[in-house]
Amino acid sequence: QKEVEQNSGPLSVPEGAIASLNCTYSDRGSQSFFWYRQYSGKSPELIMFIYSNGDKEDGRFTAQLNKASQYVSLLIRDSQPSDSATYLCAAFSGGYNKLIFGAGTRLAVHP
Amino acid sequence: DAGITQSPRHKVTETGTPVTLRCHQTENHRYMYWYRQDPGHGLRLIHYSYGVKDTDKGEVSDGYSVSRSKTEDFLLTLESATSSQTSVYFCAIGQGANTEAFFGQGTRLTVV
């Protein structure tokens, strides 16, 4: 079992819709969780991170964390074609000092 | 932009030769990571460091070694390159939990 799991997609949504990206993790010692966006041929860039149960909002993005279910999600409201990219979920384990990524979910927003 | 530089950016090497990739930072971050990225696998952790001379193995460490003799530099060595190590390699730096990890530009390595 991979430590961080994501559905590889592709997830296809129409422009203006809400895109929902999901991630589960296996290490209960994970302290914080990150969502990165990666365009083809580019380096990953941080969208947001979360470490407390509940929701965290930043503009069109909302991250949700449920530690009991070991589940993290990212909602993108009013999706734009420029949001088309691969979204990587990551978990930081303080016990092991490491940052582990999932395989990524490819999102396609069509006009 | 975070001060993190990978070198070289592109390299073609022959099977069986040793290869060293360098990650250099100017941010004084404690953590440094090496990942490889292959289609369908996302970013897989090779090795990481949580301080000078403190390193540990990641998910896919076989065939790789690392060294960190000073805060700024984290070296990844392929002792004897194989075609299965053809990949894009990313270095990242960070300060641990609840802080952003910054990525280098990546190194595209081809083993022929």
Side-chain angles (χ1 to χ4, degrees), chain A residues 12-83:
Chain A
S12 182
V13 300
E15 184 175 357
I18 295 174
S20 177
L21 304 161
N22 305 312
C23 172
T24 58
Y25 61 95
S26 60
D27 179 7
R28 285 196 173 273
S30 297
Q31 296 177 285
S32 48
F33 306 89
F34 302 79
W35 283 101
Y36 282 80
R37 177 176 61 198
Q38 186 177 28
Y39 293 111
S40 181
K42 301 295 185 182
S43 302
E45 54 184 8
L46 183 72
I47 299 174
M48 61 193 306
F49 67 86
I50 186 168
Y51 52 86
S52 298
N53 272 329
D55 295 359
K56 179 181 179 182
E57 187 174 316
D58 184 359
R60 295 188 296 115
F61 300 95
T62 298
Q64 300 173 315
L65 173 61
N66 183 325
K67 290 187 178 180
S69 301
Q70 296 176 249
Y71 176 88
V72 191
S73 66
L74 179 71
L75 299 178
I76 306 174
R77 290 180 298 280
D78 188 24
S79 296
Q80 300 298 309
S82 58
D83 294 325

Side-chain angles (χ1 to χ4, degrees), chain B residues 38-103:
Chain B
D38 306 289
H41 290 280
L43 290 165
R44 291 185 290 176
L45 184 63
I46 305 171
H47 281 280
Y48 62 103
S49 170
Y50 43 95
V52 174
K53 293 186 169 43
D54 290 323
T55 65
D56 208 343
K57 296 179 180 180
E59 307 164 275
V60 290
S61 59
D62 287 349
Y64 302 94
S65 63
V66 290
S67 68
R68 190 173 180 197
S69 58
K70 48 186 179 177
T71 301
E72 310 89 272
D73 291 322
F74 193 33
L75 304 179
L76 176 70
T77 298
L78 290 67
E79 302 291 347
S80 177
T82 67
S83 59
S84 64
Q85 294 175 312
T86 292
S87 187
V88 177
Y89 291 84
F90 284 100
C91 175
I93 62 174
Q95 294 283 49
N98 309 335
T99 63
E100 178 177 359
F102 298 92
F103 283 82

